[in-house]
Amino acid sequence: MSTIEPNWLSLVWFAGLATVCGVAFLIVAGKFPLDARPDAARSLPATLLIIGNVVLLAMLLAGTGLYGYVELRWSTLVVVSGLIFLFTPALFEEWRWPLRNATIELSVLVGIQILALAVLAKVGGSAFAILS
């Protein structure tokens, strides 16, 4: 494994964070355009949650990409990102939201993205310090 990617622990963290990014992107993308949402998802709290999810997703995507760029080989970054891009829609299809309430689902997604950002800050702290 060390001949393919010597920093395998960073590879595992990157794959997990990139998977969260992919699933979150598909969930948030399904809420656009805003005027085409169902009536249950047209409330002000749901709209604010969608905007908050977009902001958190942008931060998570940028941080995960930067973490992968700093910690992994370029070839590993491309291959793992491609595999995640390929298989995330299948994971999204299997992900069943039992809540059927857009506000609660978006709130759960906010929590998941905040947790992923906290993990990214913890594991990527030394990687981001290199850039300073």
Side-chain angles (χ1 to χ4, degrees), residues 6-93:
N7 198 353
W8 62 271
L9 188 58
S10 293
L11 173 64
V12 171
W13 282 116
F14 175 77
L17 291 167
T19 302
V20 170
C21 288
V23 171
F25 174 78
L26 291 174
I27 292 170
V28 171
K31 305 298 181 191
F32 286 97
L34 290 176
D35 58 347
R37 293 176 293 160
D39 291 334
R42 286 184 184 237
S43 66
L44 180 62
T47 303
L48 293 175
L49 282 169
I50 291 170
I51 293 169
N53 271 303
V54 168
V55 170
L56 286 171
L57 181 59
M59 291 170 35
L60 188 58
L61 281 169
T64 301
L66 185 61
Y67 176 72
Y69 179 74
V70 169
E71 291 290 324
L72 301 175
R73 290 182 178 174
W74 181 247
S75 58
T76 305
L77 183 67
V78 170
V79 169
V80 171
S81 297
L83 287 171
I84 290 170
F85 181 75
L86 183 65
F87 290 109
T88 298
L91 178 63
F92 174 72
E93 283 295 319

